[in-house]
Amino acid sequence: MKLLNKIQKFMYGRSGLDALSMFLFQIYIVLLIVNIFVNSKIISFISLLLAVLALFRILSRDIYRRSN
């Protein structure tokens, strides 16, 4: 329970998971699977970039800009 309360306090005022960040994570997973077979540094970099962008959107406190 203590960990759950800390997570709730951390996420208070943040936008959380939206449709675009969920889509970015889905593309990230697809690129990871493709990268298993192709083993390309470019695909790996793009997938990492998508994951960071999705996490940035989830943890952002600027709810107004993210909703637009």
Side-chain angles (χ1 to χ4, degrees), residues 25-52:
F25 269 125
Q26 290 171 351
I27 297 297
Y28 165 72
I29 291 171
V30 168
L31 286 176
L32 280 180
I33 293 170
V34 168
N35 197 31
I36 290 172
F37 298 109
V38 176
N39 199 11
S40 171
K41 289 184 181 182
I42 294 172
I43 294 175
S44 181
F45 177 74
I46 291 171
S47 64
L48 179 66
L49 188 66
L50 287 175
V52 168

Side-chain angles (χ1 to χ4, degrees), residues 5-68:
N5 288 338
K6 287 182 181 181
I7 292 172
Q8 287 175 343
K9 285 181 183 179
F10 177 75
M11 289 301 290
Y12 181 77
R14 299 183 192 274
S15 60
L17 191 65
D18 61 348
L20 181 58
S21 59
M22 188 66 180
F23 176 72
L24 291 173
F25 269 125
Q26 290 171 351
I27 297 297
Y28 165 72
I29 291 171
V30 168
L31 286 176
L32 280 180
I33 293 170
V34 168
N35 197 31
I36 290 172
F37 298 109
V38 176
N39 199 11
S40 171
K41 289 184 181 182
I42 294 172
I43 294 175
S44 181
F45 177 74
I46 291 171
S47 64
L48 179 66
L49 188 66
L50 287 175
V52 168
L53 181 63
L55 284 173
F56 176 75
R57 286 185 56 83
I58 291 170
L59 297 177
S60 173
R61 288 187 182 239
D62 195 2
I63 296 173
Y64 178 73
R65 281 185 57 198
R66 300 295 167 243
S67 66
N68 287 338

